[in-house]
């Protein structure tokens, strides 16, 4: 986010940033000429419109605070579909809407780390953008009333990012119903109340993916499940859930089948294998846990282990009696596991976000890259994946071979994987 005093003299408009990156930089380095589509086969920089920007434009940290000349912007950016303005100095929503109006083909807009806390103008015929399907507002501290106004401007959003905005409440109006949204990133916010979380489900009734890693809410209530009737994938890692009762509630979400429950305090007292088995046994609807598919044999082993764990307990969970009807009464069994460890706790680093999670080494590098990139809302084909062995510490090693098995890296607990976005 731009420092207003220190950088006020070096701020620039979007048009000036485009000129600097794609004209001045090209003159200094002619190899950049590949981004131009000239009219007569030669790269030129004339007033006739030979300069055409690529579909994906990344202007991260260019100190942009305004749009610039809109007519010229339209001429240069008529084909731009993806615009990344991460870490600039935008503060006025009118300037943002002006930028979007100058890019009629735009579908993806990333405004991460711009200080956009000002109230937005009410929508008008000139400020409605049906083509925008992905909007990233991480670390903008955008107020809830501003967000509601924005949803009227961008009324076709499929994916919305609201992570790291220091929200302690969900202040959406009860009348809001926004049916197009399927994916919501809400990581790192400080909302603690389950009823407030349910407001998200009611506002976005067709939500399928909800990322809440690092949120501070402490429980999943016994009601409100109907607010998330279409929720399929839910990341709850690093939340403050307090007990098994919260895990038991996951089975009451009718469409839910994929969850992430990593680095949660009350679960950490169990060893890795036992922790996974206990979660599987309690959630018959879940078929993918922490990025790994639950096979039929895994489930049967987990359910039998669950029965044996509680068979001599004075107080048994309700799930125990359900599983006993399926598997019958079991005898204690001494299990000696001779298989090598296949899951490890590692740190995943992207931008300024760090997530501690368990990964399976029984997958390819390509599968791991896809899983980790999607965790941060990034398309895998636009990311690079690096591995850092903390024991050897030879620096970051880029993983360039997608078919290579992860176990060949000799991953250990505490190692790191880093995700970088490819240069535009």
């Amino acid at each position: 986010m731009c420092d207003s005093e220190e950088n006020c003299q070096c701020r620039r408009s979007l048009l000036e940033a485009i000129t600097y990156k794609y004209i001045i930089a090209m003159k200094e380095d002619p190899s950049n000429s590949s981004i131009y589509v000239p009219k007569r086969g030669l790269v030129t920089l004339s007033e006739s419109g030979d300069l055409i920007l690529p579909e994906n434009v990344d202007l991260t940290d260019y100190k942009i605070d305004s749009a610039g000349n809109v007519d010229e912007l339209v001429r240069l950016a008529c084909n731009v579909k993806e615009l990344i303005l991460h870490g600039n100095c935008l503060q006025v929503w009118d300037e943002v809407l002006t930028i979007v109006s100058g890019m009629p083909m735009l579908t993806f807009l990333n405004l991460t780390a711009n200080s956009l806390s000002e109230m937005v103008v009410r929508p008008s015929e000139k400020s409605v953008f049906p083509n925008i399907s992905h909007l990233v507002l991480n670390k903008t501290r955008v107020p809830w009333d501003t967000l509601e106004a924005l949803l009227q401007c961008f009324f076709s959003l499929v994916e919305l990012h609201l992570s790291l905005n220091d929200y302690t409440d969900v202040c959406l109006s009860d009348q809001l119903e926004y049916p197009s949204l399927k994916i919501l990133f809400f990581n790192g916010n400080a909302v603690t109340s389950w009823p407030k979380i349910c407001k998200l489900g009611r506002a976005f009734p067709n939500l399928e993916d909800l990322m809440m890693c690092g949120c501070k809410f402490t429980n999943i209530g016994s009601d409100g499940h109907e607010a998330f009737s279409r929720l399929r994938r839910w990341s709850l890692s690093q939340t403050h859930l307090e007990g098994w009762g919260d895990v038991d509630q996951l089975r009451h979400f009718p469409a839910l089948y994929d969850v992430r429950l990593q680095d949660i305090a009350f679960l950490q007292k169990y060893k890795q294998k036992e922790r996974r088995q206990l979660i599987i046994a309690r959630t018959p609807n879940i078929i993918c846990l922490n990025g790994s598919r639950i096979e039929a044999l895994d489930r049967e082993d987990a359910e039998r282990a669950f029965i044996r764990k509680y068979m001599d307990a004075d107080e048994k969970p309700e799930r125990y009696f359900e599983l006993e009807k399926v598997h019958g009464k079991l005898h204690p069994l001494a299990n000696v596991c001779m298989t090598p460890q296949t899951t490890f706790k590692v740190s995943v680093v992207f931008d300024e976000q760090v997530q501690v999670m368990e990964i399976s080494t029984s997958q390819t590098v390509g599968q791991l890259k896809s899983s980790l990139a999607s965790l941060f809302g990034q398309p895998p084909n636009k990311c690079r994946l690096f591995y850092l062995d903390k024991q050897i510490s030879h620096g970051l090693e880029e993983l360039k071979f997608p078919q290579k098995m992860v176990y060949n890296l000799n991953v250990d607990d505490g190692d790191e994987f880093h995700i970088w976005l490819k240069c535009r």
Side-chain angles (χ1 to χ4, degrees):
M1 205 169 289
C2 192
D3 184 331
S4 57
E5 294 184 3
E6 181 180 351
N7 295 303
C8 61
Q9 295 183 348
C10 57
R11 291 186 182 186
R12 53 169 70 97
S13 69
L14 175 63
L15 188 61
E16 290 170 334
I18 289 172
T19 301
Y20 179 82
K21 179 171 183 177
Y22 295 107
I23 297 179
I24 297 176
M26 191 201 73
K27 289 180 178 179
E28 296 175 351
D29 182 4
S31 65
N32 289 330
S33 63
S34 60
I35 66 169
Y36 299 102
V37 183
K39 291 182 177 178
R40 295 184 176 85
L42 296 174
V43 175
T44 59
L45 293 172
S46 69
E47 297 180 356
S48 62
D50 290 335
L51 171 61
I52 300 177
L53 293 177
E55 291 185 354
N56 303 322
V57 173
D58 187 343
L59 292 169
T60 296
D61 294 327
Y62 269 73
K63 300 182 176 61
I64 297 166
D65 67 350
S66 59
N69 184 288
V70 178
D71 292 335
E72 184 69 6
L73 188 62
V74 171
R75 187 181 73 82
L76 294 178
C78 60
N79 293 325
V80 174
K81 294 183 178 179
E82 178 178 318
L83 178 63
I84 299 176
L85 296 176
H86 185 134
N88 282 288
C89 302
L90 290 163
Q91 295 180 311
V92 181
W93 276 106
D94 283 343
E95 292 296 333
V96 175
L97 299 182
T98 299
I99 288 170
V100 178
S101 67
M103 299 183 175
M105 300 295 290
L106 196 67
T107 61
F108 179 101
L109 177 61
N110 187 338
L111 296 168
T112 294
N114 287 269
S115 183
L116 290 165
S117 57
E118 179 189 302
M119 178 60 190
V120 71
V121 295
R122 303 306 298 179
S124 67
E125 291 183 1
K126 295 182 179 181
S127 62
V128 176
F129 309 103
N131 290 337
I132 301 291
S133 59
H134 293 66
L135 181 61
V136 184
L137 299 176
N138 298 335
K139 296 177 69 176
T140 59
R141 297 187 177 181
V142 57
W144 289 105
D145 52 357
T146 300
L147 178 65
E148 287 203 40
L150 287 172
L151 292 177
Q152 296 180 56
C153 296
F154 305 110
F155 61 82
S156 302
L157 292 181
V158 175
E159 183 172 320
L160 176 63
H161 294 240
L162 296 173
S163 298
L164 303 173
N165 278 328
D166 296 329
Y167 292 140
T168 59
D169 201 348
V170 177
C171 300
L172 295 171
S173 63
D174 294 337
Q175 293 73 36
L176 177 64
E177 186 170 330
Y178 192 89
S180 67
L181 197 72
K182 300 291 183 67
I183 304 170
L184 176 62
F185 284 78
F186 202 71
N187 299 325
N189 287 304
V191 180
T192 60
S193 166
W194 172 245
K196 292 175 182 177
I197 297 297
C198 289
K199 284 187 176 183
L200 295 174
R202 295 189 180 97
F204 307 117
N206 293 318
L207 200 63
E208 296 180 359
D209 292 51
L210 178 57
M211 313 300 172
M212 300 188 65
C213 180
C215 286
K216 295 183 179 180
F217 78 105
T218 58
N219 75 290
I220 300 173
S222 58
D223 56 4
H225 308 135
E226 74 285 351
F228 297 97
S229 61
R230 299 196 178 185
L231 186 64
R232 299 180 181 183
R233 291 167 287 270
W234 197 2
S235 175
L236 293 163
S237 296
Q238 299 177 33
T239 53
H240 293 193
L241 298 180
E242 295 178 339
W244 285 112
D246 300 310
V247 177
D248 291 337
Q249 292 299 327
L250 296 175
R251 64 185 298 188
H252 300 301
F253 292 82
L256 188 65
Y257 68 84
D258 186 339
V259 296
R260 291 181 180 269
L261 291 165
Q262 296 175 311
D263 202 23
I264 296 176
F266 88 89
L267 292 173
Q268 296 307 107
K269 64 182 179 181
Y270 300 94
K271 292 184 178 180
Q272 182 176 298
K273 180 179 179 180
E274 182 184 17
R275 178 169 63 241
R276 181 175 175 83
Q277 286 188 326
L278 289 173
I279 296 172
I280 291 173
R282 288 175 178 267
T283 54
N285 55 317
I286 302 302
I287 62 176
C288 188
L289 175 61
N290 296 333
S292 298
R293 185 176 179 84
I294 301 171
E295 304 296 343
L297 183 58
D298 294 332
R299 182 167 297 282
E300 182 175 352
D301 288 345
E303 291 176 350
R304 288 178 175 273
F306 186 87
I307 292 173
R308 290 192 173 96
K309 178 177 178 63
Y310 290 103
M311 62 193 316
D312 296 325
D314 294 333
E315 294 185 10
K316 297 177 173 60
E318 288 297 321
R319 182 63 175 156
Y320 172 88
F321 301 102
E322 296 176 8
L323 292 176
E324 192 176 55
K325 291 179 181 179
V326 175
H327 300 287
K329 293 185 179 294
L330 304 180
H331 297 290
L333 180 64
N335 287 323
V336 180
C337 181
M338 302 298 291
T339 57
Q341 182 178 352
T342 59
T343 56
F344 297 87
K345 180 177 286 189
V346 301
S347 295
V348 183
V349 182
F350 172 73
D351 196 13
E352 298 179 10
Q353 303 180 59
V354 179
Q355 292 194 22
V356 178
M357 60 185 297
E358 292 176 359
I359 66 161
S360 171
T361 55
S362 301
Q363 60 182 317
T364 65
V365 166
Q367 291 170 328
L368 177 63
K369 177 181 176 182
S370 178
S371 175
L372 298 184
S374 63
L375 185 64
F376 294 97
Q378 303 298 327
N381 63 342
K382 295 182 181 179
C383 295
R384 299 165 66 189
L385 180 62
F386 295 82
Y387 168 60
L388 177 62
D389 187 328
K390 298 290 286 188
Q391 304 298 320
I392 301 177
S393 190
H394 287 322
L396 293 178
E397 173 192 356
E398 184 169 8
L399 305 181
K400 298 182 178 180
F401 302 101
Q403 298 306 316
K404 183 176 181 178
M405 296 302 297
V406 177
Y407 60 70
N408 288 326
L409 300 174
N410 296 318
V411 176
D412 203 352
D413 290 331
D415 288 349
E416 296 180 359
F417 288 89
H418 292 244
I419 301 172
W420 292 4
L421 291 178
K422 294 180 179 177
C423 296
R424 302 292 174 182

